[in-house]
Amino acid sequence: MNTSGSAFTLTRTIDETNFDVAIIGGGITGICVAREAASRGLKTILFERDDFGSGTSSATTKYIHGGIRYLEQYDIAVVRESLRERRVLALGAPHLVQQTRFIMPAWRWSKPPTALIGAGVLLYDTLAFDRNLKAPDSLRIPHPRWLSRARLLAAVPWLDQTGLQGAFAYHDTLNIHPERLLLAYAKSAAGAGAVLMNHMRVDDFISTNSDRMVIQGVEVTDLLSGESQRVLAKVVINAAGPWIDKVLGKLARGTGVGVDRSKGVHILTRPLGGPGRVTDAVFARAQSGRHVIVSPWMGKSFIGPTDTPISGDESSVVVDPSDVEIILDTVNSTMRAEEKKLTAADVEMTTVGVRPLIRATHAKDSGSKDDGPDDTETYSASRAHELYHHVDHGVDNLWSIGGGKWTTGRATAEEMVDALLANELKGTHSRFFDSRATAAAGTFAWAEDAEPFIVDAARSMKVLGIPLDIGEHIARLYGTEWTRIANVVEQSPLSAARVVADCLDIEAQIIFAVADEGARTLSDIVDRRLVIGTLGPVSDDTLRRVAIIAGPLLGWDEAVIEDQVRHESNRRAVISMHWRTPVEG
Ligand SMILES: Cc1cc2nc3c(=O)[nH]c(=O)nc-3n(C[C@H](O)[C@H](O)[C@H](O)COP(=O)(O)OP(=O)(O)OC[C@H]3O[C@@H](n4cnc5c(N)ncnc54)[C@H](O)[C@@H]3O)c2cc1C
């Protein structure tokens, strides 16, 4: 295969054992730290126990946003930082983001009342004062405006009309496929020299242990091969998101660092309002005080999130029937009477993630029920991030990162690497790197309109027999790496075939995923390299087809292929069966 273009090389053996920085966790936070550290010239390695982005980072509402809702908690600093980052991330990967108009309906009964919502929308706009700096046309964000009732209903016909006054319309940025944008940052990190390893769990720290514990590296196990390894690093960053406390548990000494976890669920349904009719995202707040965002996504409606505290010690969570019920009840209660309500039968798939929240020093005071959802003190928890320097806890060479948002991953990473260079890595040779003005790997150009690039790329692919709609799909998701998919098709024209009829993914993407994008399991391929796994159920036949193409590259014989298909099929069935099965008793 022609390997021209930027390559995301995934090293399965670590040639070196001495690094400047070892990172635990390959979510958006860890990946951004790897990109920042390697780009500044630090010898960097990252371990992810599952796949890159497979944790919370792939279970989001899919927005790079300021978080207008956090203004209710007066979290102005988080909103301002997020709005700044919204622009930075959009300019750095214009093909993978899309400006989206948000509609926030106002009813007579709305809480907060309409005037206050309006004040919030204006403040949101003011805090985004630099939103259009250097932005090309497609990424320019207009000022918010008031939509009359008639205009609102023309845009969103399914809304409950009783007491409906109109709506505020403002813009945020859709993260079209968070999994692939995260992968683009991973490729940036790898391109700058970082070693990134998935399915590698950090099992322990290597340390000297006396009064002070001095961390010297980590012990890791490859969960697919079973092999273990020791890797030395001058400093270790614990970027395990909602699981930073579990990682710290391996120290066997108190650090006082905790994390609050909350479960967030979304459902994917038929498109509300009819296919292609609603192009705006709707921020629908019901009389219960709960809200959901109804987003048009890949021809369907993506609705959520929930926000429920996780009280136990669970390391993974599942979607319960009550989670789906809450979302359905909330969205249905904002619909007009004539509208066909959503039912469980309309739910094509669900996503679930665990929010990493800074341990609350404040709990939501009881307040009246109407002030918001009554069982969700995490709903009002800050989305700020925090760096914990464990030198303060008698442990040298170890940092943990708490809280944060997908949107602020880059900013957190910049802060983290600044702190390393001011502390443990002071004096280490480093170089200048400005992640605020550097495009993610595969971006055709920083701060330019994506459409001309996508159209051109699709036309070029057409010459190879790839239909225009598929070419556009590939250019949008892979950026300049479309040429590498095209190379695969050139070598093997049959790989231009669709994986399934109703999805734009083609077989060449499977080959590229394994050969160049570090995919090691069926889930890595269908859920995070291709989009097919995020659009609804994937049949066993499709899984088998993917496995037969990927198998030879991964060293799978027929028996392993069948085993992989069975495993992935069961995993998917358990996820969807759990919430569909009524709880007894
Ligand atoms: C429902 C929901 C909706 C959201 N919507 C948005 C949104 O629209 N916009 C936004 O900006 N933010 C959103 N967020 C927040 C955002 O998703 C998270 O803040 C962010 O993804 C956290 O990233 P992370 O890297 O810190 O954690 P994660 O993505 O969870 O990454 C941590 C990684 O560490 C790994 N790990 C754990 N232990 C080990 C170990 N021992 N060895 C190796 N690896 C280990 C895990 O496998 C995991 O992949 C949302 C969150 C949720 C739950």
Side-chain angles (χ1 to χ4, degrees):
M1 188 185 307
N2 182 342
T3 52
S4 63
S6 64
F8 175 31
T9 35
L10 190 85
T11 327
R12 292 260 40 101
T13 50
I14 310 169
D15 296 332
E16 292 194 57
T17 51
N18 279 294
F19 288 85
D20 291 325
V21 188
I23 300 159
I24 307 170
I28 192 63
T29 309
I31 293 288
C32 284
V33 174
R35 175 197 185 209
E36 189 80 34
S39 302
R40 292 214 221 165
L42 302 175
K43 271 164 65 182
T44 305
I45 188 161
L46 176 147
F47 299 105
E48 164 54 50
R49 68 177 172 191
D50 192 318
D51 186 25
F52 309 119
S54 61
T56 315
S57 297
S58 56
T60 81
T61 313
K62 305 188 197 291
Y63 284 99
I64 294 171
H65 66 152
I68 196 165
R69 188 175 73 72
Y70 310 134
L71 290 176
E72 283 175 40
Q73 278 88 53
Y74 306 106
D75 224 337
I76 307 280
V78 168
V79 176
R80 170 60 202 145
E81 178 185 45
S82 304
L83 287 169
R84 188 194 70 206
E85 288 304 300
R86 180 180 73 177
R87 172 184 164 272
V88 170
L89 268 49
L91 297 190
H95 55 304
L96 277 165
V97 302
Q98 192 174 300
Q99 299 311 340
T100 303
R101 188 168 76 151
F102 268 70
I103 290 194
M104 195 181 265
W107 286 274
R108 279 192 210 296
W109 46 259
S110 283
K111 287 210 172 147
T114 307
L116 209 54
I117 301 177
V121 171
L122 280 181
L123 177 58
Y124 197 60
D125 187 48
T126 308
L127 289 171
F129 55 87
D130 54 354
R131 64 192 181 284
N132 292 330
L133 196 67
K134 300 196 176 159
D137 284 349
S138 66
L139 297 179
R140 291 185 75 78
I141 293 185
H143 288 298
R145 54 187 287 229
W146 171 255
L147 289 186
S148 68
R149 194 171 181 276
R151 278 177 181 268
L152 166 61
L153 288 172
V156 191
W158 52 264
L159 283 174
D160 180 11
Q161 300 181 11
T162 320
L164 187 64
Q165 297 172 312
F168 295 96
Y170 66 95
H171 280 67
D172 259 323
T173 302
L174 178 68
N175 190 352
I176 293 173
H177 204 259
E179 298 82 352
R180 288 219 59 94
L181 185 50
L182 181 142
L183 209 57
Y185 293 130
K187 291 178 186 193
S188 300
V195 179
L196 306 178
M197 305 190 86
N198 55 355
H199 300 284
M200 291 285 261
R201 186 182 61 207
V202 171
D203 287 325
D204 213 341
F205 292 103
I206 302 169
S207 62
T208 58
N209 211 343
S210 54
D211 268 2
R212 292 197 68 78
M213 195 172 194
V214 181
I215 301 294
Q216 296 173 322
V218 287
E219 288 179 11
V220 292
T221 303
D222 185 327
L223 296 179
L224 300 184
S225 72
E227 280 168 29
S228 295
Q229 213 165 334
R230 287 161 62 88
V231 173
L232 300 179
K234 290 181 189 150
V235 62
V236 175
I237 311 295
N238 171 14
W243 302 284
I244 55 167
D245 55 344
K246 311 265 182 234
V247 168
L248 291 174
K250 299 175 200 311
L251 294 171
R253 63 161 72 191
T255 61
V257 171
V259 59
D260 283 344
R261 285 175 268 268
S262 98
K263 175 163 72 159
V265 171
H266 289 90
I267 59 174
L268 188 70
T269 68
R270 64 174 160 85
L272 275 190
R277 281 212 58 203
V278 179
T279 53
D280 302 303
V282 180
F283 189 114
R285 198 189 288 257
Q287 297 210 34
S288 64
R290 292 184 191 284
H291 85 269
V292 284
I293 294 172
V294 181
S295 300
W297 188 72
M298 305 238 173
K300 310 192 183 201
S301 284
F302 186 66
I303 312 174
T306 61
D307 194 331
T308 343
I310 300 172
S311 47
D313 202 24
E314 296 122 284
S315 55
S316 65
V317 294
V318 287
V319 178
D320 292 311
S322 60
D323 297 318
V324 175
E325 208 176 293
I326 286 174
I327 298 176
L328 292 176
D329 285 353
T330 305
V331 67
N332 284 338
S333 71
T334 64
M335 282 184 197
R336 61 181 178 165
E338 312 80 56
E339 195 71 26
K340 190 165 172 271
K341 302 288 182 286
L342 287 175
T343 69
D346 292 309
V347 179
E348 296 174 21
M349 78 176 287
T350 56
T351 64
V352 60
V354 184
R355 287 183 191 82
L357 302 168
I358 302 225
R359 175 136 293 176
T361 47
H362 70 285
K364 183 179 180 341
D365 49 271
S366 50
S368 83
K369 192 174 180 224
D370 288 342
D371 285 346
D374 53 356
D375 60 348
T376 59
E377 72 271 17
T378 50
Y379 181 79
S380 55
S382 171
R383 266 50 174 174
H385 66 267
E386 212 163 305
L387 307 183
Y388 304 108
H389 197 188
H390 295 297
V391 76
D392 303 333
H393 312 121
V395 183
D396 291 343
N397 307 335
L398 178 65
W399 292 74
S400 294
I401 301 176
K405 294 171 61 189
W406 211 107
T407 307
T408 52
R410 186 216 64 85
T412 306
E414 185 184 357
E415 214 179 292
M416 183 71 257
V417 176
D418 282 347
L420 294 183
L421 289 170
N423 289 276
E424 288 83 355
L425 300 182
K426 195 170 183 171
T428 305
H429 178 72
S430 66
R431 55 177 180 253
F432 176 76
F433 171 67
D434 183 1
S435 53
R436 281 167 304 181
T438 308
T443 299
F444 56 99
W446 186 79
E448 282 190 19
D449 280 329
E451 240 20 70
F453 156 76
I454 289 172
V455 169
D456 270 5
R459 277 201 200 118
S460 305
M461 278 182 263
K462 182 118 195 324
V463 177
L464 293 174
I466 298 174
L468 275 180
D469 54 349
I470 292 180
E472 285 173 8
H473 171 74
I474 290 170
R476 184 166 286 291
L477 294 175
Y478 293 78
T480 55
E481 289 194 309
W482 72 263
T483 56
R484 310 190 71 213
I485 304 281
N487 281 342
V488 177
V489 172
E490 256 179 326
Q491 309 268 315
S492 163
L494 289 180
S495 70
R498 288 185 187 225
V499 181
V500 289
D502 58 354
C503 171
L504 295 170
D505 284 339
I506 60 171
E507 292 184 1
Q509 292 170 251
I510 301 171
I511 297 168
F512 185 61
V514 178
D516 292 285
E517 297 195 302
R520 297 181 71 199
T521 68
L522 274 183
S523 173
D524 295 354
I525 300 170
V526 300
D527 290 326
R528 287 172 295 278
R529 305 306 186 281
L530 278 62
V531 304
I532 189 173
T534 58
L535 294 176
V538 181
S539 72
D540 284 6
D541 281 352
T542 304
L543 289 175
R544 188 164 295 106
R545 190 157 170 206
V546 175
I548 287 170
I549 296 165
L553 295 165
L554 287 163
W556 296 348
D557 61 19
E558 265 178 51
V560 179
I561 286 176
E562 274 316 306
D563 204 46
Q564 289 284 335
V565 172
R566 214 172 13 253
H567 174 82
E568 183 55 18
S569 174
N570 286 343
R571 193 185 70 81
R572 302 184 90 85
V574 167
I575 293 170
S576 73
M577 285 310 292
H578 186 82
W579 71 264
R580 289 190 194 272
T581 311
V583 184
E584 288 186 19

